[in-house]
Amino acid sequence: MNVVPIGPIHPVLKEPIRIKLIVEGENVVGSELEMGYVHRGIEKIMEGKHYLKGIYLSERVCGICSYIHTQTFAECIEHMSKIEVPDKARYLRVVTAELERIHSHLIAAAVYDLSIEHETLAMWCLNAREHVMDLMELITGNRVNMGFNVVGGVRLDINKEIIDKIYKKINELEDDMKNILEVFETGPLINLRGEGIGVIGYREIMKTRAVGPVARASAMPESDWRLRHPTYKELKFKPVWRDEGDNSARMIVRHEEVMTSINLIRKALELYEESSGGVRVKVDIKGGSGEWKNEAPRGEVYYKMSLTDGGLIKRIMIRTPTVMNLEAYKYMLKTCPTVSDAVTTYTSIDPCVSCTERTIVLKDKKTGKIKPYSFK
Amino acid sequence: MIKEFFRKRDINVCVVNTGGCNGCDIEIVSCLAPRYDIEQYGIHVHNNPREADVLVVTGPVTLPWKNRLKEIYEKTPEPKIVVAVGACALSCGIFKEGHVCGPVDKIIPVDAKVPGCPPRPAEILDAILKIAPDAIASKEKILKKRKEGVKSTV
Ligand code: SF4
């Protein structure tokens, strides 16, 4: 039995993580993950700080899905203190969150295409993504860490000019995406590398609690938390799903979600134009503890926090989707014939390491006791 | 002669994320996109420290990275050029109170700094291009010295 170590710095990885693949000849029989390279202790920094500072820290949990973290943070506090957010702000949140989902899925597709050595398609995806980044800069004023959400609404309003520009850019993007999707579904070399590789079934998904596109590619549409979000209920959102559970299915789910996101943006903008009023209300923070879940591009993100009456954070807990998806990676490896397939499977779950590096709860292996994680 | 000419337009970059939030990393990935097209300047991004001319470091240095970063710095061939990208790499930024052991220039020498959280892709590209001639010049010097050394021994 031999071990192939990958990382923390390696040509295929974007982020520092160490994967040890256990191989027999060319066959991969197991894997070990070693994490902790990006652990900065964000929850610890947040403790004792005012929530106005906390929202900026929560944005920097992850740079790719930065917006959804602030949205979850804000909605958690709004839910706890029963703050009514104005309609305009709710629809603007949907527009920006969906734009972020598009850019995240496109970068995931580009990385996957690069890992299967199809550089042309990767460049098409990156090119389409630049237009989305432009739109985000137009709406929020920054490309990556936007700082757009505040507790009680959003920071800026948009005007008619910007709405027209969004419609125009989105129509162009839809044409681009149709083209990319057609190439991805019909390209023979692309499917050769993806079909039947890294298969994970419904039962294993239930075992590992995988979320997001990984679960939806294995016939679990109800794993989408947008189905339970009040604003998305208004927009009559329907999730995309597949039942093959292999690499191709996961990537096709991502591509098709871009299309649904485009439709959601259109619907949200229509409703935005009908509504009136401001985008931000004055808030009155009540102490207590509460929790909120949202659908990030990679799956559900969960915030649990307790506040004092003045708005100081007593304790906060963040759970991000990649923790569960990396667990599912172990089961996918069973259908990876070669080392290079193991690498493409790794990119197909779209791991985000800097999200994952949260607090680790230790379990005693002998007694099975879990150290109590009190929340007071 | 021909080899020297082409080596001038061949800068290899290795991106090292020492604990940042990925924001800076995806802006470096954006540089690959056709809009910025980093390869038209002859810059190749592949994360292999053993053949890199320029190390691009993003993020504050977390505790497990402290020794690793030094190792990687020793592994890279001459000229060892380091570009620190982002507020985190310059001063630890927002994570100053967390589990970090300081900015990058505390651990290894830094040649160029790009502020911003995150900086725009064009700024990163600009910084690499500004120090690239340096890299090429010193590279040539080393090559020439090696050639003369070979001649004198013969
Ligand atoms: S400088 Fe900003 S964007 Fe870059 S790694 Fe640090 S927090 Fe993230």
Side-chain angles (χ1 to χ4, degrees), chain A residues 99 102-103 106 123-139 143 165-166 168-174 176-177 180, chain B residues 30 33-36:
Chain A
L99 279 178
I102 295 173
H103 109 71
L106 281 175
M123 286 303 149
W124 286 359
C125 289
L126 283 179
N127 202 17
R129 179 176 164 271
E130 278 303 313
H131 297 287
V132 182
M133 300 300 272
D134 282 350
L135 279 185
M136 290 212 291
E137 193 178 5
L138 194 69
I139 297 173
R143 280 166 61 96
K165 238 181 207 166
I166 297 173
K168 195 173 146 245
K169 276 270 166 76
I170 273 180
N171 290 340
E172 285 171 13
L173 182 70
E174 198 174 23
D176 280 354
M177 263 335 274
I180 291 174
Chain B
S30 298
R35 179 181 289 181
Y36 301 102

Side-chain angles (χ1 to χ4, degrees), chain A residues 220-239:
Chain A
M220 234 174 83
E222 67 273 16
S223 76
D224 200 324
W225 272 88
R226 282 179 285 176
L227 284 171
R228 303 166 185 88
H229 193 280
T231 320
Y232 284 93
K233 268 187 199 159
E234 263 174 60
L235 300 171
K236 301 200 183 60
F237 164 74
K238 277 205 194 71

Side-chain angles (χ1 to χ4, degrees), chain A residues 300-319:
Chain A
E300 83 180 57
V301 38
Y302 168 81
Y303 269 66
K304 186 173 179 185
M305 62 171 95
S306 61
L307 292 179
T308 63
D309 274 337
L312 292 183
I313 300 170
K314 266 203 256 171
R315 190 105 169 73
I316 184 161
M317 189 180 122
I318 306 169
R319 195 185 66 191

